[in-house]
């Protein structure tokens, strides 16, 4: 059921075309940090107390944590309150997505959700909160929602007026200034067999740099730069991808390049977008599925349906643990539920429907976005027959050293093939490094070629 706040938001929703909604007023913006959190969530808990009030989230790391460690579980003493299974999911259906329900029906003997106490741990630095307040009254959508202006560093639309603004909040949520990460992905068959594809990745977030300004971002037209290199298996090692994501995607669409080790050449890759199959993903996700959703939103009509209380994968420190092996996680049909933690949180619900005259393998997508962090937690994807095709979950934690709420693992379930793809496996790897400050020259086609030839 969508709550009253959601109905108000839905009533304000409209199809984004040439006209734009009025910016948030100064008086509305003053709610940030008062009745709303600094990022725009409802600060208060829910009516029955199952969702508590937000009290600032995690503001310091647990004792003993050092930067570079896998993040220890601050709630290791929490016990499972109850489990949702195929036998009882109907009594919780109001707090489940259609895709979650489908997984209970598809894997009745093994899929379950261990539900824990809800802990609203999402947090960001004060500078991000300050920037979000400034963005609230000046940020605008560009070109029918295919870009933004008037925003930098913080959430652009903390009091969203439509579905596109919510999706841009997800795309531009704070994840530090830059990050380097090692890990991998595995496409798991119905019998449980898999091969891990290893990656080294760097992300330079121009939008989030402390001195970023809306004017400079628009002039340079770069939101972030992303570089990915395959490290294993040997037959794929060295294959690389470079992406420059733009602010105004009509003025200049995303630019992408690939490096092929066999040809030892860098090639422009204009098709690295939309429903192009994801890198080494065995056909189990699209390019714009990465990070739950990325890229230009121009092929869909976006409707803000309101808010909903949903069971989502939150505070998944056990799944993130360095003592857990990939073989412990990657079980047949779905990841091992014994390592997962589900909590009830409020989420924004956004429905994306394919525009007439455009093509994509997903005719409709429904996104459930955490109100505290703007991270997409659940995505239900429908095929061109209107049937559920895929469902994806982001298993989140708080990265204390930033701080930010981000997923430790994204899992995409293909309901037709009964296979799944797990992205972000890092239990057996070194931890993310948020301290790096790479130079822009490291994100050029020339640099991609030099690195590939080493």
């Amino acid at each position: 059921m969508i709550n009253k706040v959601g109905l108000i938001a839905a009533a304000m929703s409209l199809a984004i075309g040439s006209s734009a909604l009025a910016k948030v007023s100064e008086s509305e913006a003053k709610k940030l940090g008062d009745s709303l959190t600094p990022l725009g969530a409802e600060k208060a808990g829910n009516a029955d107390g199952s969702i508590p009030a937000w009290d600032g989230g995690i503001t310091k790391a647990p004792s003993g944590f050092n930067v570079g460690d896998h993040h220890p579980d601050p709630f290791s003493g929490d016990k499972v309150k109850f489990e949702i299974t195929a036998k009882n999911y109907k009594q919780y259906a109001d707090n489940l997505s259609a895709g979650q329900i489908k997984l209970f029906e598809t894997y009745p003997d093994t899929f379950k959700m261990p539900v824990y106490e809800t802990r609203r741990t999402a947090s960001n630095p004060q500078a991000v909160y300050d920037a979000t307040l400034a963005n609230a009254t000046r940020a605008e959508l560009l070109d029918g929602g295919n870009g933004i202006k008037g925003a930098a560093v913080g959430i652009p639309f903390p009091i969203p007026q439509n579905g596109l603004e919510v999706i841009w909040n997800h795309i531009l949520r704070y994840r530090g200034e830059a990050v380097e990460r090692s890990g991998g992905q595995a496409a798991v068959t119905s019998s449980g067999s898999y091969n891990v594809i290893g990656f080294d990745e760097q992300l330079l977030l121009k939008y989030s740099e402390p001195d970023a300004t809306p004017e400079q971002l628009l002039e340079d037209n770069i939101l972030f730069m992303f570089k990915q290199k395959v490290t294993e298996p040997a037959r794929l090692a060295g294959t690389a991808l470079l992406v420059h994501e733009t602010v105004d995607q009509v003025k200049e669409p995303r630019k992408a390049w690939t490096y092929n080790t066999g040809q030892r050449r860098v090639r422009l890759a204009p098709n690295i977008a939309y429903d192009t199959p994801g890198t080494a993903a065995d056909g189990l996700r699209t390019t714009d599925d990465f990070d739950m959703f990325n890229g230009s939103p121009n092929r869909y009509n976006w409707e803000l349906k309101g808010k909903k209380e949903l069971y989502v994968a939150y505070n998944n420190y056990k799944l993130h643990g360095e003592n857990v092996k990939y073989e412990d996680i990657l079980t047949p049909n779905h990841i091992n539920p014994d390592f997962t933690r589900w909590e009830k949180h409020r989420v924004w619900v956004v429905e994306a429907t394919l525009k007439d005259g455009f093509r994509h393998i997903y005719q409709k997508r429904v996104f459930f976005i955490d109100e505290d962090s703007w991270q997409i937690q659940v995505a239900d994807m429908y095929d061109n027959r209107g049937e559920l095709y895929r469902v994806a979950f982001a298993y989140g934690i708080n990265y204390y050293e930033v701080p930010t709420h981000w997923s430790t693992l994204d899992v995409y379930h293909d309901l037709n093939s009964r296979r799944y793809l797990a992205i972000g496996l890092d239990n057996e790897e070194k931890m993310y490094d948020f301290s790096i400050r790479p130079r822009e020259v490291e994100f050029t086609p020339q640099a991609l070629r030099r690195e590939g030839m080493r």
Side-chain angles (χ1 to χ4, degrees), residues 30-346:
K30 287 181 180 178
K31 295 179 182 178
L32 296 170
D34 184 15
S35 59
L36 302 178
T37 73
L39 296 188
E42 295 172 62
K43 187 179 285 187
N46 66 350
D48 66 7
S50 57
I51 298 175
W54 183 80
D55 62 0
I58 292 179
T59 56
K60 63 179 182 180
S63 177
F65 170 75
N66 295 303
V67 173
D69 293 347
H70 280 68
H71 301 74
D73 187 353
F75 313 117
S76 58
D78 285 3
K79 304 298 184 184
V80 177
K81 295 176 64 177
F82 59 90
E83 288 187 341
I84 305 176
T85 68
K87 294 181 179 179
N88 66 2
Y89 77 85
K90 290 183 180 179
Q91 73 185 78
Y92 302 102
D94 285 347
N95 304 117
L96 298 170
S97 79
Q100 290 172 323
I101 289 171
K102 189 68 173 179
L103 287 180
F104 285 116
E105 295 172 347
T106 305
Y107 308 116
D109 297 327
T110 55
F111 184 70
K112 63 181 179 180
M113 292 181 179
V115 177
Y116 290 77
E117 177 184 351
T118 297
R119 297 192 181 268
R120 297 177 67 179
T121 50
S123 60
N124 280 168
Q126 185 60 46
V128 176
Y129 297 153
D130 295 342
T132 298
L133 180 60
N135 292 340
T137 55
R138 67 187 183 188
E140 295 181 76
L141 295 172
L142 283 173
D143 299 309
N146 297 313
I148 66 161
K149 68 175 183 178
V153 183
I155 295 298
F157 306 106
I159 306 176
Q161 309 291 295
N162 54 67
L164 265 171
E165 291 185 350
V166 173
I167 290 301
W168 275 107
N169 287 349
H170 165 78
I171 292 171
L172 296 176
R173 71 202 189 280
Y174 187 74
R175 287 161 286 173
E177 299 171 41
V179 60
E180 181 175 75
R181 57 187 186 181
S182 300
Q185 67 182 31
V188 185
T189 69
S190 57
S191 65
S193 63
Y194 62 88
N195 291 308
V196 174
I197 308 295
F199 293 104
D200 282 342
E201 297 175 341
Q202 284 191 339
L203 180 62
L204 176 60
L205 295 145
K206 300 294 294 179
Y207 178 88
S208 298
E209 292 179 339
D211 57 353
T213 65
E215 297 75 20
Q216 192 64 49
L217 285 167
L218 206 55
E219 181 179 338
D220 296 342
N221 205 30
I222 294 290
L223 284 175
F224 63 78
M225 300 176 179
F226 173 73
K227 185 166 57 177
Q228 181 188 72
K229 183 178 180 180
V230 179
T231 58
E232 61 173 324
R235 63 184 174 81
L236 296 176
T239 303
L241 169 69
L242 173 66
V243 173
H244 289 183
E245 193 77 333
T246 56
V247 179
D248 185 340
Q249 301 190 13
V250 171
K251 176 182 175 182
E252 186 178 23
R254 163 189 289 175
K255 292 188 287 187
W257 299 263
T258 57
Y259 176 80
N260 183 287
T261 54
Q263 298 174 338
R264 298 172 73 87
R265 293 182 62 184
V266 173
R267 292 183 178 274
L268 195 64
N271 294 325
I272 302 297
Y274 304 113
D275 58 356
T276 301
T279 303
D282 224 8
L284 295 176
R285 73 163 177 88
T286 62
T287 294
D288 62 7
D289 274 331
F290 189 74
D291 195 34
M292 301 298 281
F293 180 81
N294 75 92
S296 173
N298 70 322
R299 293 192 179 184
Y300 289 91
N301 291 312
W302 300 82
E303 183 181 359
L304 181 59
K305 306 294 286 189
K307 274 189 180 177
K308 181 182 180 74
E309 294 179 1
L310 195 77
Y311 289 108
V312 297
Y314 223 90
N315 294 311
N316 273 262
Y317 296 95
K318 185 188 297 186
L319 181 65
H320 173 78
E322 63 183 338
N323 295 321
V324 179
K325 302 299 182 184
Y326 298 154
E327 63 185 22
D328 299 325
I329 296 171
L330 302 173
T331 52
N333 301 325
H334 47 74
I335 67 170
N336 188 338
D338 291 334
F339 289 99
T340 67
R341 176 179 176 130
W342 297 82
E343 302 177 359
K344 186 192 287 185
H345 286 257
R346 283 187 295 247

Side-chain angles (χ1 to χ4, degrees), residues 345-391:
H345 286 257
R346 283 187 295 247
V347 296
W348 290 97
V349 183
V350 175
E351 184 174 292
T353 307
L354 192 64
K355 292 178 179 177
D356 292 340
F358 286 82
R359 65 163 302 280
H360 198 289
I361 64 169
Y362 304 143
Q363 187 273 334
K364 184 176 77 171
R365 306 161 91 152
V366 184
F367 297 102
F368 302 86
I369 302 98
D370 174 36
E371 68 166 349
D372 287 335
S373 66
W374 300 102
Q375 162 79 50
I376 294 174
Q377 295 287 155
V378 178
D380 292 346
M381 285 80 82
Y382 295 78
D383 62 22
N384 289 304
R385 300 169 300 167
E387 300 292 330
L388 265 169
Y389 180 10
R390 291 175 178 158
V391 56

